[in-house]
Amino acid sequence: MLVAQASRTAIWTAIGRGQHRQLHRRPWVFDDPFGLTLAGPDWPQVWTRLTTALPGRYVDQMVGATVGRARYVEDRLRHYPFRQYVVLGAGLDSFAWRRPDLLGELRVFEVDHPATQAWKRDRIGALGLPIQPNHLLVPVDFERDALLDSLVAAGSTPGCRRCSPGWAWRRISARRRSRTRCARWPAAPAAPGSVSTTSRRRSCGTPMGGRS
Ligand SMILES: C[S@@+](CC[C@H](N)C(=O)[O-])C[C@H]1O[C@@H](n2cnc3c(N)ncnc32)[C@H](O)[C@@H]1O
């Protein structure tokens, strides 16, 4: 990922979540009313480019995988008394605005590349969305920074229960050093009952290729 630019795939998956409620009938697998607005005002052009450039099945898989993993994790989150929710590669995740009722007991740590987070902060400001005290944005470059140190510096307590979805695995796996570092995450000190979830999707080949 270029440092000066937000992740393309974060924008694509946010649009995918938003398009799920526009393109598909209820009941939706996952309802994200913030996806399209967080993705930026030019989301229709981005979506047109995406659907023009990629095979339909790839776009369907992308939307299905995106809403499926989001639903899975948030369902699990509801069934346990977690105190911390760590989202690695959070992108334009909107949990904090969809579930403000949970933010009293639960601290949410959104971890992502500094460039993506800077871009997201701009969108948050432009949309006038509130950031509650228990909603922390933690800028971390998985390829360079120490994840646990950054989380602890942001106020995370390693011994508390936590739950984490959506690793940016494909990108991470490109570099051995960051793969090794992030692969240690589930074994990092955590209280009994902590849960870690990872999504990984086999690529069906994309003509757009390249950076995430
Ligand atoms: C496919 S997006 C997923 C976003 C989110 N989990 C979702 O489902 O919408 C991958 C995310 O990984 C982040 N990412 C990629 N490389 C990274 C790195 N080296 N350090 C931190 N985050 C990275 C990107 O900024 C992007 O937000």
Side-chain angles (χ1 to χ4, degrees):
M1 192 164 68
L2 293 177
V3 172
Q5 199 177 341
S7 155
R8 286 188 308 183
T9 57
I11 293 172
W12 294 351
T13 49
I15 296 175
R17 283 191 297 274
Q19 284 292 64
H20 177 49
R21 67 199 312 265
Q22 303 224 350
L23 299 176
H24 303 132
R25 280 196 221 123
R26 292 170 189 259
W28 295 311
V29 174
F30 188 79
D31 185 16
D32 185 356
F34 295 93
L36 297 179
T37 47
L38 278 172
D42 63 344
W43 74 260
Q45 292 90 318
V46 175
W47 181 252
T48 301
R49 279 202 300 277
L50 194 62
T51 50
T52 305
L54 298 179
R57 76 175 192 288
Y58 182 90
V59 177
D60 290 345
Q61 282 182 11
M62 186 273 284
V63 172
T66 301
V67 296
R69 71 186 179 197
R71 168 71 181 270
Y72 176 78
V73 169
E74 293 193 16
D75 277 0
R76 295 199 76 174
L77 200 56
R78 272 210 302 273
H79 291 107
Y80 298 95
F82 291 109
R83 305 296 301 277
Q84 300 183 91
Y85 178 32
V86 179
V87 191
L88 300 182
L92 303 177
D93 190 285
S94 62
F95 174 83
W97 300 291
R98 285 181 288 102
R99 298 306 309 265
D101 53 309
L102 296 182
L103 285 186
E105 288 294 311
L106 188 68
R107 303 191 82 193
V108 179
F109 298 86
E110 290 191 22
V111 184
D112 209 302
H113 193 281
T116 300
Q117 285 215 333
W119 194 88
K120 183 174 185 175
R121 277 189 185 278
D122 282 351
R123 291 301 304 144
I124 292 170
L127 296 170
L129 292 170
I131 298 193
Q132 296 196 37
N134 271 358
H135 178 197
L136 290 310
L137 298 181
V138 187
V140 173
D141 181 346
F142 296 143
E143 296 184 8
R144 293 176 31 184
D145 305 327
L147 175 60
L148 270 181
D149 291 351
S150 303
L151 279 170
V152 169
S156 178
T157 315
C160 280
R161 292 181 175 212
R162 60 194 169 205
C163 183
S164 143
W167 286 28
W169 185 266
R170 283 185 60 202
R171 192 62 194 156
I172 290 165
S173 63
R175 300 268 179 93
R176 176 181 289 205
R177 194 165 64 91
S178 54
R179 181 177 65 220
T180 307
R181 189 172 269 172
C182 287
R184 287 201 199 107
W185 167 255
S194 295
V195 171
S196 172
T197 69
T198 304
S199 72
R200 199 148 50 122
R201 194 170 68 81
R202 191 180 299 169
S203 170
C204 65
T206 154
M208 293 179 97
R211 294 183 303 106
S212 68

